[in-house]
C-alpha cells in the first residue's frame, strides 16, 4: 500500500507560487502553549499575514508541539523572535505601523466598532495573565472581543482568528 505524503509537505515553500500578503503584523507576547502558537501559525497562513512577531518566551519553530498544530504553516508565514515586547514595539514604530493590543479591559473598543488601520499590528498576550496595564499603555489602542456568555475571555488562538478575519472582512480582502 502506498502512503501519500500529506499535502502540506508536498510543495517546498520556495516552489510555491507567490501569494499577496495582507498588511497585518501579529504579535504574540509570552504565549506559553506551543499548540496555541502552532494554531496561530496555521490561521496566519490562511489570512496571508505579513509577519508573526514572537516575543519573550513564546514558542518558536522548530518545536515538535508547534509543528503538530501548525501542520507546516510556519514554512509559509515569515516570523521574527524579539527578546522583549518593547523591542518588538520599537521595531513596529520604526516602520510607522499602528499597534492595537487585543485585550478585554474596561477602556477597550469592541472590534465590531473599531476602524482597523491599514497596515496594522495586533498584540495578543499570555493565556493566563494576558497583557499588563503597562504593556497596554505602550500601544495605540486596546480592542476587545465582546463576550456574551459567562466567561471573560476565550482561547488566544480563537481570539486571533476572530480578529484577523474581522480585519480582512473590513478591508474587503475576503
Ligand atoms: C485567555 S486570555 C488572557 C486571560 C485574561 N487576561 C483574563 O483575565 O482572563 C489570552 C489572550 O487572548 C486574547 N483574548 C482572549 N479573549 C479576549 C477577548 N474577549 N477580547 C480581547 N482579547 C481576548 C488576549 O490577547 C489575551 O491576552
Amino acid at each position: 500500500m502506498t502512503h501519500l505524503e500529506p499535502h502540506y509537505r508536498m510543495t517546498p515553500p520556495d516552489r510555491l507560487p507567490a501569494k499577496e500578503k495582507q498588511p497585518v503584523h501579529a504579535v504574540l507576547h509570552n504565549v506559553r502553549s506551543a499548540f496555541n502558537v502552532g494554531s496561530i501559525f496555521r490561521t496566519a497562513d490562511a489570512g496571508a499575514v505579513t509577519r508573526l512577531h514572537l516575543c519573550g518566551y513564546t514558542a518558536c519553530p522548530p518545536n515538535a508541539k508547534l509543528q503538530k498544530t501548525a501542520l507546516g504553516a510556519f514554512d509559509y508565514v515569515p516570523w521574527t523572535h524579539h527578546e522583549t515586547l518593547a523591542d518588538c514595539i520599537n521595531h513596529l514604530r520604526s516602520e510607522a505601523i499602528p499597534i492595537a493590543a487585543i485585550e478585554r479591559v474596561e477602556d477597550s473598543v469592541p472590534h465590531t466598532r473599531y476602524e482597523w488601520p491599514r497596515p496594522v499590528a495586533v498584540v495578543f498576550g499570555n493565556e493566563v495573565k494576558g497583557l499588563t496595564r503597562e504593556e497596554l499603555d505602550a500601544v495605540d489602542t486596546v480592542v476587545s472581543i465582546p463576550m456574551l456568555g459567562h466567561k471573560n475571555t476565550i482561547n488566544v488562538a480563537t481570539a486571533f482568528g476572530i480578529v484577523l478575519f474581522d480585519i480582512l472582512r473590513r478591508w474587503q480582502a475576503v
Side-chain angles (χ1 to χ4, degrees), residues 102-104 123-131 143-145 147 152-154 156 159:
I102 311 301
E103 197 64 73
R104 191 146 180 272
V123 186
F124 295 81
N126 172 268
E127 291 90 337
V128 178
K129 297 187 211 140
L131 296 162
V143 176
S144 56
I145 300 165
M147 298 281 102
N152 262 335
T153 58
I154 50 176
V156 63

Side-chain angles (χ1 to χ4, degrees), residues 91-170:
H91 167 77
L92 294 166
R93 295 253 181 254
S94 73
E95 306 219 323
I97 299 171
I99 308 170
I102 311 301
E103 197 64 73
R104 191 146 180 272
V105 287
E106 232 169 60
D107 53 347
S108 55
V109 186
H111 73 93
T112 45
R113 286 202 268 117
Y114 185 60
E115 285 294 324
W116 296 105
R118 185 187 164 98
V120 70
V122 282
V123 186
F124 295 81
N126 172 268
E127 291 90 337
V128 178
K129 297 187 211 140
L131 296 162
T132 64
R133 187 70 250 177
E134 199 186 348
E135 288 158 355
L136 297 178
D137 288 344
V139 304
D140 301 310
T141 324
V142 184
V143 176
S144 56
I145 300 165
M147 298 281 102
L148 303 183
H150 296 282
K151 303 287 280 184
N152 262 335
T153 58
I154 50 176
N155 169 270
V156 63
T158 305
F160 174 72
I162 290 172
V163 164
L164 175 60
F165 276 81
D166 185 49
I167 295 170
L168 299 180
R169 188 182 60 81
R170 303 278 212 84

Side-chain angles (χ1 to χ4, degrees), residues 2-165:
T2 310
H3 291 279
L4 286 176
E5 281 286 289
H7 176 71
Y8 65 86
R9 282 203 211 127
M10 287 176 78
T11 314
D14 56 349
R15 303 234 312 265
L16 283 172
K19 293 261 184 186
E20 188 193 340
K21 291 287 185 192
Q22 297 296 322
V24 178
H25 287 255
V27 181
L28 308 184
H29 181 48
N30 288 345
V31 173
R32 185 170 288 287
S33 160
F35 293 122
N36 280 337
V37 178
S39 170
I40 288 171
F41 260 97
R42 203 160 170 214
T43 305
D45 171 58
V49 159
T50 292
R51 183 166 292 274
L52 274 182
H53 299 266
L54 309 174
C55 304
Y57 58 69
T58 301
C60 293
N63 176 307
K65 287 182 190 164
L66 201 158
Q67 187 143 357
K68 214 168 188 171
T69 43
L71 296 176
F74 48 75
D75 287 338
Y76 313 129
V77 182
W79 61 273
T80 304
H81 176 252
H82 304 267
E83 281 299 319
T84 66
L85 180 60
D87 289 346
C88 178
I89 289 176
N90 287 339
H91 167 77
L92 294 166
R93 295 253 181 254
S94 73
E95 306 219 323
I97 299 171
I99 308 170
I102 311 301
E103 197 64 73
R104 191 146 180 272
V105 287
E106 232 169 60
D107 53 347
S108 55
V109 186
H111 73 93
T112 45
R113 286 202 268 117
Y114 185 60
E115 285 294 324
W116 296 105
R118 185 187 164 98
V120 70
V122 282
V123 186
F124 295 81
N126 172 268
E127 291 90 337
V128 178
K129 297 187 211 140
L131 296 162
T132 64
R133 187 70 250 177
E134 199 186 348
E135 288 158 355
L136 297 178
D137 288 344
V139 304
D140 301 310
T141 324
V142 184
V143 176
S144 56
I145 300 165
M147 298 281 102
L148 303 183
H150 296 282
K151 303 287 280 184
N152 262 335
T153 58
I154 50 176
N155 169 270
V156 63
T158 305
F160 174 72
I162 290 172
V163 164
L164 175 60
F165 276 81

